[in-house]
Amino acid sequence: MGGHYYAHDIEPGWIDIKRITIKHKLIPEGFNGFKIVQFSDTHLGFQFQIKDLTSVITKMEKLNPDVMIFSGDLMDHPNEYPMPEEIIPYLKKIKTPFGKYCIYGNHDHGGNGSEIYRNIMEKSDFKVLQNAHSKLSLLSGEAIYLAGIDDAMLGRPDFKSTLSGIPDNVYTILLSHAPDLADTAVNYNVQLQLSGHSHGGQIQIPLAGALVTPPYAEKYTEGTYDIQNMVLHVNRGLGTTRLPYRFLSRPEITLYELQKE
């Protein structure tokens, strides 16, 4: 009984704010201390609800991000969510000096949800990066790039379209819902990949690790990895899906701080 209560009522709401310093020689001097906050996999309508989103937004605002990233899976079933428009005022409330960006997850595409998701995010002032990129520039002219690739399971990921036009030797961050695309991303001009999708397995077995992970999150399940010349971080997400439990896999908000090496 105690284990069930913990996994259903305690850990799903016990958010871990993970702080990660990212150092790289290509990060411009002007971006020293630049803060990126990532949230992911809310799966609204399953266990995670609007009241939970409100609490999360308050926590994220206190981190004073320069950029906000949502890495996919907003609603558990977009075409079944009763009032999708009700999400907009909450996401719209988030303000950052360098904007808000998002990508598609598999649940955002599922059940003909692609346009529902895009409509919500664009009305919430998020820029949807679907095989596209955006330049973040300072008044000094220094810049980094954010690139977002489509979901690996139900989308049409295209690395060439996503990264085409980004100059060589410019610091580039790839947003990919699916972490296992990192093994392809290392072949391109990408220094950092931010992902979600796995929920950290959602339920972990001591000494054995994640009980189940979805396709494209089977190799890289949670945390930070150094893969050749690229860093990958897999955020455990905020919501749950299929089973309303978390065990040894706390929901996560990630704060990245950039530093020139």
Side-chain angles (χ1 to χ4, degrees):
M1 181 67 73
H4 177 275
Y5 174 73
Y6 173 81
H8 184 273
D9 296 294
I10 301 298
E11 189 165 306
W14 186 19
I15 294 172
D16 177 23
I17 299 178
K18 186 174 288 292
R19 292 170 166 84
I20 300 174
T21 300
I22 300 292
K23 297 181 179 181
H24 198 278
K25 63 183 180 182
L26 289 181
I27 295 173
E29 292 278 0
F31 280 87
N32 270 326
F34 191 86
K35 293 194 289 187
I36 300 168
V37 167
Q38 177 196 9
F39 69 116
S40 192
D41 297 271
T42 48
H43 289 268
L44 279 159
F46 188 66
Q47 188 179 31
F48 193 91
Q49 303 294 336
I50 286 290
K51 63 178 177 59
D52 302 303
L53 180 63
T54 303
S55 175
V56 162
I57 289 171
T58 300
K59 285 181 170 63
M60 294 192 297
E61 287 176 330
K62 290 178 180 177
L63 299 174
N64 297 313
D66 294 296
V67 163
M68 183 72 72
I69 301 296
F70 179 68
S71 47
D73 283 3
L74 179 67
M75 294 165 283
D76 204 49
H77 296 287
N79 60 334
E80 296 176 10
Y81 195 83
M83 294 177 61
E85 296 281 328
E86 74 174 1
I87 303 169
I88 294 168
Y90 299 97
L91 292 179
K92 195 176 180 70
K93 180 177 178 286
I94 301 169
K95 305 295 182 186
T96 61
F98 286 84
K100 304 181 292 189
Y101 296 84
C102 66
I103 53 173
Y104 277 95
N106 54 301
H107 280 255
D108 304 315
H109 280 309
N112 299 313
S114 304
E115 289 307 311
I116 298 171
Y117 174 72
R118 179 178 288 275
N119 178 62
I120 290 171
M121 299 311 283
E122 289 183 345
K123 286 185 176 179
S124 302
D125 302 326
F126 277 76
K127 184 170 183 178
V128 182
L129 296 176
Q130 186 179 17
N131 294 329
H133 62 260
S134 190
K135 183 180 181 182
L136 304 183
S137 300
L138 304 178
L139 291 176
S140 64
E142 295 171 306
I144 63 174
Y145 280 80
L146 281 181
I149 196 161
D150 203 1
D151 176 63
M153 284 182 66
L154 298 180
R156 295 181 178 178
D158 186 330
F159 275 93
K160 289 185 178 179
S161 295
T162 302
L163 300 168
S164 178
I166 298 178
D168 293 335
N169 297 318
V170 176
Y171 192 77
T172 301
I173 300 169
L174 177 70
L175 313 179
S176 169
H177 184 68
D180 289 358
L181 288 190
D183 285 339
T184 302
V186 294
N187 298 313
Y188 292 87
N189 175 41
V190 174
Q191 288 75 46
L192 174 64
Q193 178 178 315
L194 310 183
S195 296
H197 187 44
S198 71
H199 298 216
Q202 202 166 289
I203 298 171
Q204 295 199 21
I205 306 301
L207 304 180
L211 186 62
V212 178
T213 54
Y216 299 100
E218 294 165 315
K219 185 173 181 180
Y220 305 111
T221 57
E222 67 167 318
T224 307
Y225 303 83
D226 289 307
I227 309 169
Q228 296 181 33
N229 295 318
M230 187 184 81
V231 172
L232 162 68
H233 183 75
V234 185
N235 176 296
R236 292 188 299 268
L238 289 164
T240 58
T241 188
R242 297 191 180 184
L243 294 172
Y245 305 108
R246 278 185 178 268
F247 187 72
L248 301 181
S249 185
R250 288 171 58 191
E252 176 183 334
I253 296 167
T254 317
L255 169 63
Y256 307 90
E257 184 169 323
L258 303 186
Q259 288 187 9
K260 182 172 182 62
E261 194 171 51

